[in-house]
């Protein structure tokens, strides 16, 4: 995983990083990843089952919920606690979203703010903070594109937090090919979701891709 495996352990481990961890310790945590992936796949195939009800809501929350447990068990110090909180808020938002779209969005916004605090605590060194234009593009284009897709000011306001999270992830010291890539997938997933609110009909892409892209995003970020 991105933030957990490389970033959160860097301060407390020798230069060998994650490779210094005993293999048995890593294996002990993998069941939580397996449980998370299993829940995510199950929800994808069952989400439109009319018989699910509360069980489907709990199954949806379990996907990122198990990632939260993984982060809690492996994360160290304040950074580990912040990542765990961000994932826990996302898991709660996944469930609340099924009951109230705007309440779920509010929880996701808070989770983005928490994640931003993690990334700002772990900024790249000045000589490594390249491609700042990419972060600026995320900050500007994410809310603009969101508004064009959704035609909603409130939804566009939410996306400011999403954009800040992605830009901060890009400029953090965590590996871009995992954490920043996960943040970008988060944006794409939300764009597909928000397209259902506006005039642009992208069907059937939202139904097919919103959940896989979102879960892949959280998995990479974790």
């Amino acid at each position: 995983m991105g933030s957990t495996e490389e970033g959160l352990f860097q301060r407390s481990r020798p230069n060998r990083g994650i490779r210094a961890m005993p293999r048995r310790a890593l294996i002990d945590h993998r069941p939580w990843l397996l449980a998370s992936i299993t829940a995510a796949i199950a929800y994808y195939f069952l989400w439109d089952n009319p018989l699910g009800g509360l069980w489907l809501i709990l199954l949806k929350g379990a996907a990122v919920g198990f990632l939260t447990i993984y982060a809690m068990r492996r994360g160290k110090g304040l950074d580990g606690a912040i990542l765990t909180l961000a994932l826990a808020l996302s898991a709660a938002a996944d469930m609340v979203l099924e009951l109230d779209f705007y309440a779920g969005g509010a929880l996701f916004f808070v989770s983005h703010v928490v994640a931003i605090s993690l990334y700002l605590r772990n900024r790249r060194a000045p000589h490594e903070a390249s491609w700042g234009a990419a972060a600026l593009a995320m900050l500007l284009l994410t809310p603009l594109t969101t508004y064009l897709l959704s035609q909603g000011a409130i939804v566009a306001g939410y996306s400011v937090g999403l954009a800040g999270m992605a830009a901060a992830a890009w400029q953090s010291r965590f590996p871009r090919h995992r954490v920043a890539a996960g943040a970008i997938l988060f944006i794409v997933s939300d764009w597909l979701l928000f397209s259902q609110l506006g005039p642009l009909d992208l069907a059937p892409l939202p139904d097919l891709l919103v959940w896989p892209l979102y879960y892949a995003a959280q998995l990479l970020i974790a």
Side-chain angles (χ1 to χ4, degrees):
M1 300 299 101
S3 302
T4 301
E5 289 195 356
E6 294 195 24
L8 301 184
F9 293 89
Q10 183 172 326
R11 294 177 180 174
S12 59
R13 294 190 178 278
N15 292 333
R16 289 174 297 169
I18 189 63
R19 294 180 182 85
M21 171 177 282
R23 179 170 298 183
R24 180 64 190 174
L26 181 59
I27 292 174
D28 286 344
H29 297 301
R30 283 182 177 171
W32 298 109
L33 293 181
L34 179 60
S36 172
I37 293 170
T38 301
I41 293 173
Y43 177 76
Y44 181 72
F45 287 105
L46 297 173
W47 69 270
D48 60 346
N49 189 323
L51 301 178
L54 177 61
W55 293 109
L56 275 179
I57 293 176
L58 294 175
L59 180 63
K60 184 182 184 184
V64 177
F66 285 127
L67 285 182
T68 303
I69 298 175
Y70 172 83
M72 180 176 63
R73 290 173 61 90
R74 293 210 61 206
K76 302 296 182 182
L78 181 57
D79 284 346
I82 295 174
L83 176 61
T84 299
L85 178 58
L87 290 171
L89 287 167
S90 291
D94 283 332
M95 294 184 286
V96 173
L97 201 64
E98 296 299 307
L99 305 174
D100 187 294
F101 181 79
Y102 290 103
L107 280 174
F108 269 122
F109 184 88
V110 176
S111 76
H112 295 327
V113 173
V114 172
I116 289 170
S117 71
L118 171 64
Y119 300 140
L120 292 182
R121 280 175 48 84
N122 292 275
R123 291 188 295 270
R124 288 177 182 266
H127 67 280
E128 296 177 341
S130 59
W131 294 20
L136 181 61
M138 293 178 200
L139 284 173
L140 297 178
L141 295 180
T142 300
L144 175 60
T145 305
T146 298
Y147 179 76
L148 293 175
L149 288 172
S150 68
Q151 298 292 297
I154 295 177
V155 176
Y158 153 82
S159 71
V160 172
L162 175 65
M165 182 274 292
W170 183 267
Q171 294 297 93
S172 74
R173 64 183 176 86
F174 300 121
R176 281 176 175 161
H177 67 283
R178 278 187 259 177
V179 177
I184 292 170
L185 287 180
F186 208 132
I187 292 176
V188 175
S189 173
D190 273 3
W191 278 348
L192 288 173
L193 177 65
F194 299 149
S195 71
Q196 296 176 306
L197 304 175
L200 185 61
D201 184 8
L202 296 179
L205 292 181
D207 286 344
L208 294 175
L209 297 179
V210 166
W211 178 254
L213 289 175
Y214 164 75
Y215 178 73
Q218 294 285 33
L219 187 65
L220 288 170
I221 289 171

